[in-house]
Amino acid sequence: MPVSSAKTLLLSCRSFNRRQRTLMVVALTTVCLLALLCGGLLLGEEGLSTNLTNRNMPPSLSYPLGTDWLGRNMLARTVQGLSLSFAVGLAAASTSAFIALVLGLTAALGGKRLDAAITWLVDLFLAVPHLVLLILIAFIFGGGITGVITGVTLTHWPALTRLLRAEVLQLRSAEFVLVSRHLGRSRWWVATRHLLPHLKPQLLVGLILLFPHAILHEAAITFLGFGLSPHRPAIGVILSESMQYLSAGSWWLAFFPGLALLIMVRTFDVLGDNLRLLLDPHSAQE
Amino acid sequence: MSNKMIWFCLLLFSLAWFPITGCGGNRNRVEREGRPADELVLAVGGEPEAGFDPTTGWGQYGSPLFQSRLFRRDNNLTLVNDLATAYEISADGLTWTIRLRADVKFSDGMPLTAEDVAYTFATAAASGAVIDLNNMERVETKDAQTVEFRLKQPQSTFMNLLARIGIVPKHAHGSGYALRPLGSGPYKFVQWDKGQQLIVEANPLYHGQQPYFKRITFLFMSDDAALAAARAGQVDLLAVPAAFARLEIAGMRLLYLDSVDNRGIMFPFVPAGGQTKEGHPVGNDVTADLAIRRAINVAIDRQTIVEGVLDGFGSPAFSSSDGLPWWNPETVIRDADLEQARRILADAGWKDTNGDGILEKGALQARFTLLYPAADLTRKALALVVADQLQPLGVKIDVVGKSWDAIQTMMHSNAVLFGWGSHDPLEMYNLYSSKTRGTGWFNTGFYINTVVDGHMARALSATSEEEANRYWQKAQWDGQTGFSARGDAPWAWLVNLDHLYFVREGLSLGQQQIQPHGHGWPVTANITEWRRKE
């Protein structure tokens, strides 16, 4: 369990300073997440095939998370589901961050009309309920994995865009930028040499913190049935499937995958918070 | 930001746990809370989208409740008179004359006459919905108690149509009829809250035996909600999926009924390249190979599927009509025989030349897509299990879940997990006749065999049911060819589902028929014979 082990480690190494501890947490969470991803890739189709002699087995030593009504190993399915969520999250979060960067820079540097247009777009996207928008977009793009990634990508950029725009606006009026402009540097030069380095920590932390959002939304729309093919081991699919069997008493089908999702999301959260501590000039040297 | 996410997770969790905690506490409640003995509450689903109008499809299976029919099938599936007293078929098989009872009244007191019968069939034929009346040229009244049907082609199964359509009153049939039905059936309409419940009361003017239950409420709710209601003692009869079969409900017993509600895999019969009228692709090179279809039929372990997927509540299926009068018992083959399946494939030239575990024949790989409706848990499980069972054979099946709309565009060029099962042999004709190639959901694989067509044509033009059944059986397997797995094998039938119900102690459902397709409503077919023993 990445979070709790990280915490016990934290308690036992009070002797380290804040920066060292933060670094350790970052390293630990990264390793956990990478292990999960690799686990999903290495497992492949293994353990997903049906095995009718071992149906509906509660958690045991040979099947730590039990088996489902077709005898499929729930541990394998959960790891597969999480790594699929991870991949979807990665694709969606990085594309979202890229869109946010481009729009944020354009809004702040591109003149009044462009700024008004982009601000209006941000307001529009923030005003529509997120899940509804997500479902609409996923539906328009024909569902499936493309639909899910496009949907998640196209709905997660507005908050970060707004943040980056404000940051650029503030930077633009900073004295060193003004001086640089008066010294005759081009807009492009100022944007790449002065603005981008300042935006890097915002962008990186923003990206990491988009992850849990993207993953939860992916799980939510696959749970509602707008996403992936229903036998694919995605966390949302696993959870919605298990609903049918809860009344029959198979509690482990929903409990462990749900817990695993919670832990993974929380791990990303911890990673993002600690990265912010490291990268933010105010707290970086504590 | 992070707090919001944690709350979302917690919400997901509490949702996940709700059904468990929702039904944990009621174990020891006493049954049948304070209802009079002659009142009944059923949760068997079957709510019709379009309402209760027989001319647009209501009442094909089970009891039509509000209406009565010319003929009906008794508990042994034999056709018996209901509104009719006698019938006559002309020598050429084209004219059917039906004589009616004179004493039948609609529940509003008006008499039921030949006018109403003619009106019902003319309206149903004009609406074209669901019911296959294309073959009817016209329907006329001879006198107040005599109706005459004129057919375009002889059709021995026409009797089944007469036994399927409830008679509506000409004087009270209009646009709102489906929402407030009126007829000569055992029950009359009281109230319908769409999506929630239907309440009916016994019809005192009913011409048959008065039903024991004077008032019946049909609840329409999700499986989980219905289960909770049953545990609280609020339901007398509950239809449940196989996953609930091992549960215990205080005061209720499990009843499982045999059915021809089957599930099977339809294979595209012709090679790829064609197109339907709508422009959808037709044909599949892999499944067009007889060896592939036969090998799959032989290799599938149906008994294991019944035990594994259906929890034992079902039976292996070898045709679309197992156990019905027109079924040919020779269609049963020895299955779960991988060796035999391997031989069939090897003899036809399928070999694994590149060692990837999938057979090849020239440039063709033994690999195809199997579609199933995404929302159907049982079909999903069946598709996955069959794909796994065929892997050691070297036949690779890619299982894909789609909506029915999407399947409709892909079902002529991919294998599909369909379900059928009817008390009318016409269904068999529709599934296997070359005339219905690409017609709606029928014969989507474009199966064609002129010998089979010949047998089925003779079955249709037969003048007695026995003679017709002989030809239906020949169409399945006549010693040389047929559409069963021994012949062309255009389908791999897998299982017949048992229909599971929880029945309140003391409630007797009489002798039930072999159940048709559709779990739930068909159980009501003999609702007038139900009793409560106290």
Side-chain angles (χ1 to χ4, degrees):
Chain A
M1 305 285 116
V3 179
S4 57
S5 59
K7 285 229 167 102
T8 44
L9 205 66
L10 263 184
L11 289 174
S12 65
C13 34
R14 283 268 176 227
S15 50
F16 295 110
N17 67 26
R18 164 75 179 278
R19 191 180 159 76
Q20 282 166 325
R21 287 206 307 263
T22 315
L23 270 173
M24 275 156 87
V25 172
V26 169
L28 250 175
T29 47
T30 316
V31 167
C32 285
L33 291 171
L34 282 180
L36 187 71
L37 188 63
C38 296
L41 290 178
L42 286 179
L43 268 175
E45 298 283 299
E46 193 97 357
L48 295 183
S49 53
T50 55
N51 179 357
L52 295 179
T53 45
N54 289 337
R55 285 173 299 127
N56 294 322
M57 304 245 291
S60 64
L61 275 181
S62 42
Y63 297 105
L65 303 193
T67 62
D68 67 3
W69 61 96
L70 290 176
R72 290 174 293 185
N73 186 345
M74 285 309 287
L75 178 65
R77 297 193 82 212
T78 307
V79 172
Q80 286 271 337
L82 289 182
S83 72
L84 180 77
S85 293
F86 189 95
V88 172
L90 184 71
S94 44
T95 326
S96 275
F98 180 72
I99 295 177
L101 178 67
V102 172
L103 288 182
L105 279 177
T106 322
L109 302 173
K112 260 195 182 145
R113 287 207 178 164
L114 221 49
D115 184 31
I118 289 174
T119 316
W120 177 79
L121 202 62
V122 169
D123 287 344
L124 179 75
F125 267 76
L126 287 177
V128 181
H130 200 144
L131 206 56
V132 174
L133 197 62
L134 204 57
I135 290 171
L136 283 179
I137 294 179
F139 192 69
I140 288 169
F141 283 87
I145 197 124
T146 2
V148 173
I149 294 184
T150 326
V152 176
T153 306
L154 290 184
T155 50
H156 282 80
W157 55 269
L160 191 58
T161 304
R162 191 176 251 189
L163 191 82
L164 292 181
R165 173 180 163 274
E167 193 71 19
V168 177
L169 278 180
Q170 189 201 348
L171 277 176
R172 213 173 50 165
S173 54
E175 278 175 10
F176 70 99
V177 174
L178 291 177
V179 170
S180 186
R181 283 290 286 159
H182 285 301
L183 285 175
R185 295 299 185 185
S186 71
R187 272 167 186 261
W188 177 249
W189 199 94
V190 172
T192 50
R193 306 293 159 91
H194 287 320
L195 301 187
L196 263 189
H198 266 92
L199 291 181
K200 235 189 265 166
Q202 308 279 5
L203 196 63
L204 191 62
V205 174
L207 175 84
I208 296 289
L209 289 179
L210 272 181
F211 246 92
H213 265 273
I215 289 170
L216 281 184
H217 279 129
E218 182 262 335
I221 57 171
T222 47
F223 178 81
L224 293 174
F226 292 93
L228 310 170
S229 202
H231 56 271
R232 219 178 152 128
I235 285 292
V237 174
I238 293 175
L239 286 179
S240 69
E241 273 184 342
S242 60
M243 290 296 117
Q244 305 255 356
Y245 290 85
L246 282 178
S247 291
S250 307
W251 56 272
W252 59 91
L253 294 181
F255 180 76
F256 291 113
L259 188 68
L261 176 68
L262 184 72
I263 290 173
M264 170 151 129
V265 166
R266 199 54 199 129
T267 310
F268 266 111
D269 215 26
V270 171
L271 178 65
D273 282 345
N274 281 291
L275 269 186
R276 190 175 51 77
L277 289 179
L278 275 185
L279 294 174
D280 189 349
H282 297 295
S283 59
Q285 305 304 325
E286 279 174 30
Chain B
M1 205 168 177
S2 62
N3 273 346
K4 235 165 71 185
M5 284 172 321
I6 291 165
W7 281 116
F8 180 72
C9 270
L10 286 177
L11 189 72
L12 266 187
F13 260 105
S14 46
L15 276 179
W17 284 94
F18 182 71
I20 298 183
T21 47
C23 55
N26 298 329
R27 285 273 153 86
N28 301 322
R29 293 277 283 280
V30 195
E31 64 264 41
R32 237 189 73 226
E33 310 195 314
R35 275 192 304 281
D38 61 356
E39 281 192 32
L40 199 58
V41 180
L42 311 180
V44 293
E47 184 177 32
E49 279 288 311
F52 306 96
D53 187 345
T55 64
T56 58
W58 160 249
Q60 304 231 21
Y61 297 130
S63 167
L65 281 185
F66 312 111
Q67 296 90 10
S68 41
R69 298 163 290 197
L70 294 177
F71 302 93
R72 63 183 177 83
R73 288 196 180 273
D74 69 8
N75 298 340
N76 301 316
L77 297 185
T78 317
L79 282 165
V80 293
N81 293 334
D82 190 358
L83 292 175
T85 54
Y87 71 99
E88 233 171 72
I89 309 172
S90 66
D92 60 2
L94 292 179
T95 309
W96 291 56
T97 313
I98 318 275
R99 252 170 279 287
L100 304 176
R101 289 171 67 133
D103 59 341
V104 180
K105 288 193 166 70
F106 288 112
S107 59
D108 63 353
M110 300 282 282
L112 186 152
T113 66
E115 279 288 310
D116 298 298
V117 177
Y119 171 82
T120 301
F121 280 86
T123 313
S127 86
V130 190
I131 308 144
D132 193 16
L133 280 171
N134 300 337
N135 191 32
M136 190 180 79
E137 193 177 302
R138 58 172 193 271
V139 49
E140 286 168 345
T141 56
K142 288 284 150 194
D143 58 56
Q145 259 73 53
T146 313
V147 198
E148 190 181 283
F149 293 90
R150 181 84 191 156
L151 306 187
K152 294 174 191 156
Q153 308 272 326
Q155 184 186 351
S156 60
T157 59
F158 189 67
M159 193 79 167
N160 289 294
L161 289 173
L162 301 179
R164 230 159 70 184
I165 302 174
I167 304 304
V168 300
K170 189 180 179 186
H171 65 271
H173 188 260
S175 57
Y177 180 84
L179 304 180
R180 290 195 67 81
L182 180 124
S184 56
Y187 286 92
K188 57 182 185 180
F189 178 85
V190 175
Q191 184 186 337
W192 181 30
D193 306 315
K194 211 169 176 180
Q196 294 170 35
Q197 61 174 356
L198 166 72
I199 302 173
V200 301
E201 262 171 15
N203 171 15
L205 300 179
Y206 180 51
H207 57 278
Q209 190 196 12
Q210 272 295 314
Y212 174 90
F213 291 102
K214 296 298 170 226
R215 189 182 171 91
I216 304 182
T217 306
F218 296 88
L219 299 176
F220 306 119
M221 42 173 61
S222 74
D223 288 340
D224 283 319
L227 183 66
R231 285 197 156 134
Q234 289 160 1
V235 174
D236 293 304
L237 179 67
L238 169 73
V240 290
F244 290 178
R246 302 277 175 221
L247 296 179
E248 303 249 325
I249 302 179
M252 294 184 100
R253 68 192 154 87
L254 183 69
L255 172 75
Y256 45 96
L257 301 173
D258 284 341
S259 82
V260 284
D261 192 352
N262 47 41
R263 300 289 180 268
I265 299 172
M266 181 286 307
F267 298 116
F269 186 74
V270 290
Q275 260 196 357
T276 62
K277 285 191 290 286
E278 298 83 16
H280 305 314
V282 170
N284 185 307
D285 291 331
V286 178
T287 61
D289 190 323
L290 174 62
I292 290 273
R293 298 194 305 268
R294 269 201 188 147
I296 290 177
N297 261 296
V298 169
I300 291 171
D301 185 350
R302 292 173 174 81
Q303 191 57 41
T304 304
I305 295 180
V306 167
E307 274 152 27
V309 177
L310 304 178
D311 228 351
F313 294 107
S315 56
F318 294 94
S319 77
S320 64
S321 54
D322 288 359
L324 296 179
W326 44 89
W327 171 56
N328 184 345
E330 286 174 37
T331 55
V332 176
I333 53 165
R334 209 166 84 95
D335 66 350
D337 191 345
L338 276 179
E339 281 316 306
Q340 165 94 18
R342 285 206 181 94
R343 264 201 305 282
I344 293 174
L345 288 172
D347 290 349
W350 290 92
K351 261 201 291 288
D352 187 7
T353 43
N354 57 3
D356 63 350
I358 304 175
L359 300 176
E360 291 98 28
K361 185 179 183 177
L364 199 61
Q365 260 200 325
R367 179 175 190 166
F368 60 92
T369 300
L370 172 60
L371 301 170
Y372 68 89
D376 189 325
L377 269 181
T378 310
R379 294 191 208 202
K380 170 165 69 178
L382 288 173
L384 289 172
V385 169
V386 167
D388 283 346
Q389 282 191 353
L390 295 178
Q391 203 168 10
L393 191 62
V395 176
K396 169 96 174 130
I397 299 186
D398 301 304
V399 176
V400 176
K402 291 277 178 191
S403 68
W404 279 121
D405 289 341
I407 289 176
Q408 222 164 356
T409 66
M410 305 163 74
M411 64 186 179
H412 308 98
S413 54
N414 295 290
V416 186
L417 224 156
F418 277 126
W420 291 94
S422 168
H423 289 161
D424 185 346
L426 192 62
E427 177 188 273
M428 208 151 72
Y429 177 83
N430 286 331
L431 286 180
Y432 295 109
S433 165
S434 63
K435 293 231 175 70
T436 55
R437 305 217 289 173
T439 309
W441 299 101
F442 301 130
N443 198 355
T444 55
F446 280 64
Y447 172 65
I448 182 166
N449 180 337
T450 45
V451 179
V452 167
D453 274 350
H455 287 315
M456 292 204 290
R458 276 187 287 280
L460 278 185
S461 57
T463 42
S464 77
E465 211 176 350
E466 294 76 42
E467 187 192 348
N469 287 345
R470 267 208 309 284
Y471 283 112
W472 290 125
Q473 288 167 357
K474 279 193 170 177
Q476 296 163 53
W477 179 246
D478 63 3
Q480 305 289 326
T481 184
F483 59 66
S484 69
R486 301 185 72 167
D488 295 326
W491 282 72
W493 292 102
L494 301 173
V495 293
N496 297 307
L497 311 176
D498 278 356
H499 286 175
L500 301 178
Y501 298 88
F502 276 106
V503 187
R504 183 71 55 207
E505 293 296 348
L507 177 63
S508 154
L509 301 186
Q511 187 208 339
Q512 286 283 333
Q513 303 171 340
I514 290 185
Q515 303 285 300
H517 188 64
H519 179 184
W521 197 269
V523 76
T524 62
N526 63 346
I527 199 163
T528 52
E529 299 167 19
W530 295 8
R531 296 278 180 281
R532 203 183 307 266
K533 299 170 286 193
E534 296 280 347

